[in-house]
Amino acid sequence: MVSMSDKNPDHKIIADYNGYDYKKEFWDNSGREYEDLADRMAIRKLLPDAMENFVDIAGGYGRLADEYISRAKKSTIFDYSKTELADAKKTYGDRINTKAGDIYALPFKDEEFDSLMMIRATHHFKDMPKVIEELYRILKPGGVAVIEVASKKTLPKMMRYWFKKSDINPFDRKPSYLKELEMYNYHPKYMESLFKNQGFKILRVLSVSNFRSAKLKKLFGVKNLTRMEKVAQPLLAPIRFAPSIYYKLEKPAK
Ligand SMILES: C[S@@+](CC[C@H](N)C(=O)[O-])C[C@H]1O[C@@H](n2cnc3c(N)ncnc32)[C@H](O)[C@@H]1O
């Protein structure tokens, strides 16, 4: 993965996956089966059962495409990386459309889609108000957006802060930037005020990947953790516990 911020510090794209085999390097045989299942569990609950025109924003190689292809009449994956999109085409052929571009200027018409999702992407984005504005723009009134947020307010981050291993305050609502990982984390309350200011209505929240820990995976095994995750996603949503907070949003009908 090439960091665009190395090439141009002002550029808003900070993660260029062109030439990076995200599937092979990050997901295949990586011990992340639990995280993948937790994402799928949430998406199954939040995405509408029947969709007309759907877009997976920053959808990469289409890891989650089998969760929406059968629910939508037309599905598109949008991503900056042409390498990722070519992989998606290789797997799904005519069942998926692909479109390359930059999230800050989505190459789609106003109100083009009735539904969209954006999973595991917020940590790459510096200008979140612009991202949310763009997502809102391309949705039809009455349309639904499922957005996953990389939360800064997690128990491990609190522990690191309390034990002075990190000076990032997880309770501070301002976005945080993890320099070594080149990643942004967002406070759920910050994101919720962005959603509301943009005009979105929050329909449902889930706390996802609650047990993302190598130790817990070893102790309980993926099968048991997944069972616990099923209960925890709605149960822990009110306290926004997990590193991934999922939102089901609606652009109100006119
Ligand atoms: C961690 S991957 C997530 C992929 C997919 N959503 C998933 O959950 O498997 C992040 C994706 O964001 C894309 N991305 C990063 N910056 C982008 C930008 N400015 N515009 C569009 N896509 C971007 C990357 O190319 C990459 O495919």
Side-chain angles (χ1 to χ4, degrees), residues 118 122 147-151 186-188 191 195 242-247:
M118 185 175 82
T122 57
I147 298 178
E148 182 267 351
V149 171
S151 173
Y186 290 91
H187 194 291
M191 290 301 300
F195 294 147
S244 275
I245 306 297
Y246 271 65
Y247 293 92

Side-chain angles (χ1 to χ4, degrees), residues 61-146:
Y61 68 89
R63 173 175 69 99
L64 299 164
D66 48 356
E67 299 298 336
Y68 51 75
I69 280 186
S70 59
R71 298 187 191 208
K73 281 198 183 144
K74 185 180 165 197
S75 298
T76 302
I77 299 183
F78 166 79
D79 202 277
Y80 184 74
S81 164
K82 291 185 178 148
T83 318
E84 294 293 310
L85 294 177
D87 283 350
K89 260 296 187 205
K90 228 183 276 165
T91 310
Y92 294 101
D94 290 344
R95 290 188 294 156
I96 206 109
N97 299 292
T98 57
K99 187 89 180 165
D102 182 2
I103 192 144
Y104 295 104
L106 289 173
F108 301 117
K109 293 197 292 270
D110 293 357
E111 304 182 3
E112 187 164 335
F113 300 95
D114 65 305
S115 44
L116 64 82
M117 74 176 196
M118 185 175 82
I119 312 297
R120 288 180 173 258
T122 57
H123 58 282
H124 291 315
F125 305 143
K126 184 177 177 182
D127 188 352
M128 192 54 72
K130 182 66 191 164
V131 170
I132 301 305
E133 188 189 312
E134 276 295 88
L135 298 183
Y136 192 85
R137 180 183 68 75
I138 65 167
L139 257 192
K140 277 190 170 66
V144 164
V146 173

